[in-house]
Structures are given as C-alpha cells and as structure tokens.
Amino acid sequence: MASRGNDNTSMKDALSAFIQKNKLEKGIDKVDARAAWAKLMGNGVNNYTTEIELKFNTLYVSLSSSVLREELSLGKTKIIRMLNEEIGKEVVKKLVLR
C-alpha cells in the first residue's frame, strides 16, 4: 500500500492550483464581477439591472431605465475602480451600459 506524503498545503493554495490547472479563472472572474456589481450598486440599481456579462475585460450591463443608464454613465471610471477593488484584481477595464 502506498503511503501518503506529509505535504501540508493550505486550502487557498490547493484551490488556486486546482483553478489554474483546470483553467477556470475566466468563469470565476465572471461570477465575481456579477457579485461585485450586485453588492456595490445595491437594491435600487439591481432592480433595474436586467443582464450582466463579462467578455474580454469589458463588463456589459443592461439596464431597463434610460435615466439610470445616463446617470451611471457619468461615473464609469469610479464604478470600474470600485468593482476591481471589490474583486481584488483588475478584471474590468471597460464598462458598457446598455
């Protein structure tokens, strides 16, 4: 019977290795971007958000209110910075409000 090695690795390191080995970073980034948008924008904006999609470092957000879309477009750079801080790395480089 083969004996186990006494390798002690942290759970964080093990999960990071698994994610990199299976090339899951992009999918996790998409989930993180959606969660960050929901958390940062709050219920008021989330009620008008119909779709959130991350493609090639561009976050596409569909809104059902044209007034809200115009209001948010004035602060795009601040929103991008807040989203990246919430995610913990630079995932979003461009924000498109539709």
Side-chain angles (χ1 to χ4, degrees), residues 6-98:
N6 201 5
D7 271 348
N8 290 331
T9 58
S10 70
M11 184 64 91
K12 181 180 177 181
D13 294 338
L15 284 174
S16 294
F18 178 79
I19 289 168
Q20 288 177 351
K21 181 180 178 186
N22 293 303
K23 299 178 182 156
L24 301 174
E25 295 96 352
K26 290 181 182 179
I28 290 177
D29 288 344
K30 289 179 182 183
V31 172
D32 288 344
R34 286 188 188 123
W37 177 268
K39 182 179 177 184
L40 291 173
M41 293 298 134
N43 285 338
V45 175
N46 286 328
N47 288 338
Y48 294 102
T49 302
T50 57
E51 186 179 354
I52 303 169
E53 189 173 6
L54 181 68
K55 286 185 184 177
F56 305 110
N57 297 330
T58 302
L59 186 66
Y60 296 93
V61 179
S62 298
L63 299 167
S64 61
S65 169
S66 60
V67 175
L68 179 62
R69 185 181 318 116
E70 186 65 31
E71 198 66 32
L72 290 177
S73 69
L74 298 174
K76 279 186 181 181
T77 56
K78 183 178 179 182
I79 293 171
I80 291 170
R81 185 172 16 89
M82 289 172 29
L83 287 169
N84 286 328
E85 285 176 8
E86 182 67 30
I87 295 170
K89 59 183 178 178
E90 190 173 341
V91 174
V92 180
K93 293 186 180 178
K94 185 177 177 186
L95 178 62
V96 176
L97 301 171
R98 309 189 233 185

